[in-house]
Amino acid sequence: MTPDAALAALAARGESARAVQMAEYHKVERRYLGLGNDQVEGLVRGWRADLDRDGRVSLAAGLWDSDVFEARIAAAKLLTQARIRPDDAPVWAELVRWVGQLDSWAIADAVAKPVERRLQADPARFAELESWVDHPNLWTRRAALVSTLHWAKGRHPDAAHLAARGRVIGWMERLVPDHDWFIQKAIGWWLRTLSKHDPEAVRAFLERHGPDLRAVARKEGGKYL
């Protein structure tokens, strides 16, 4: 499967009227084909099964570079796996390349999913996310939080999990003054998720930083308290 063939397969299933609606909704100038998420997932499932790791990385890179909306979503889905063997430089390097190019919430959140899987596979990669928190691209900053939601979960976290959780809470504290709606929404999302497992930590965060957060972060973060 080549990137051109994969793109043609995506385009063949597109709907022009839906593509126009998607362009209006996402408000980022690029080509939209008009596919639903399930349609993209169905195609990706077959491609993933037929390719080895290097083949998946190569196809994902080509789809990403097309800058077609559904192709970028497909690229992220291609690399969203719990286990990738070998899980070394090529996969992570490709994901990091994308993170610096993020330009919309939908694509940013799609890329956060494979990033999260690779962080789970090798938590040492957390060190690289440190620079994302202060990145000039707001979608890169958002990805630092959305890709670490796994560490807001867990009823019986071990010491390593708690250390990672504390690290992300520190990142959120650094992002409190960042009043972009999408950053504040991500802070609220993280706190809301954490509140199901450690409500006291969320109460403490909101007590310290609530006055400096936008309403969307306070409302989302305190939803289940």
Side-chain angles (χ1 to χ4, degrees):
M1 176 60 65
T2 66
D4 286 344
L7 192 56
L10 289 165
R13 291 160 175 78
E15 300 176 24
S16 57
R18 186 173 187 173
V20 171
Q21 294 173 348
M22 290 172 66
E24 292 174 350
Y25 175 73
H26 290 289
K27 297 181 175 63
V28 177
E29 190 170 334
R30 58 163 43 92
R31 185 183 177 195
Y32 297 84
L33 302 176
L35 276 77
N37 192 59
D38 289 346
Q39 292 174 289
V40 177
E41 178 64 43
L43 286 168
V44 168
R45 193 178 300 117
W47 301 338
R48 192 190 296 121
D50 291 340
L51 295 168
D52 61 15
R53 186 209 62 179
D54 289 346
R56 292 194 297 274
V57 173
S58 178
L59 178 57
L63 287 170
W64 180 269
D65 289 339
S66 75
D67 198 29
V68 174
F69 177 81
E70 290 86 348
R72 287 198 159 187
I73 297 296
K77 289 180 178 293
L78 267 170
L79 300 186
T80 303
Q81 294 176 258
R83 296 182 179 180
I84 296 180
R85 296 290 184 269
D87 184 12
D88 52 14
V91 177
W92 182 247
E94 187 62 22
L95 292 173
V96 170
R97 182 174 77 91
W98 299 350
V99 167
Q101 301 174 20
L102 297 173
D103 60 3
S104 74
W105 71 265
I107 293 175
D109 289 4
V111 170
K113 293 178 181 179
V115 170
E116 182 178 57
R117 297 293 182 88
R118 305 284 45 85
L119 288 171
Q120 289 175 258
D122 184 2
R125 291 169 174 147
F126 257 83
E128 189 146 9
L129 270 68
E130 193 78 36
S131 65
W132 299 4
V133 181
D134 303 307
H135 200 281
N137 183 346
L138 82 90
W139 305 112
T140 304
R141 300 196 300 276
R142 179 179 167 90
L145 300 185
V146 179
S147 64
T148 54
L149 278 165
H150 167 77
W151 286 271
K153 304 172 186 177
R155 294 189 181 279
H156 304 289
D158 60 18
H161 192 111
L162 287 173
R165 178 182 292 177
R167 191 171 191 174
V168 180
I169 289 173
W171 295 348
M172 288 194 292
E173 290 177 331
R174 285 160 56 185
L175 288 168
V176 165
D178 187 336
H179 277 199
D180 184 278
W181 188 90
F182 286 98
I183 299 300
Q184 294 286 308
K185 182 71 172 180
I187 292 173
W189 185 2
W190 221 95
L191 293 173
R192 184 190 69 205
T193 303
L194 180 59
S195 71
K196 299 176 184 178
H197 309 284
D198 190 352
E200 291 308 314
V202 176
R203 287 191 182 95
F205 188 96
L206 291 175
E207 286 175 6
R208 289 195 307 273
H209 302 292
D212 299 317
L213 292 167
R214 286 185 61 169
V216 63
R218 292 195 302 271
K219 182 178 179 180
E220 283 293 311
K223 184 174 183 178
Y224 298 128
L225 295 179

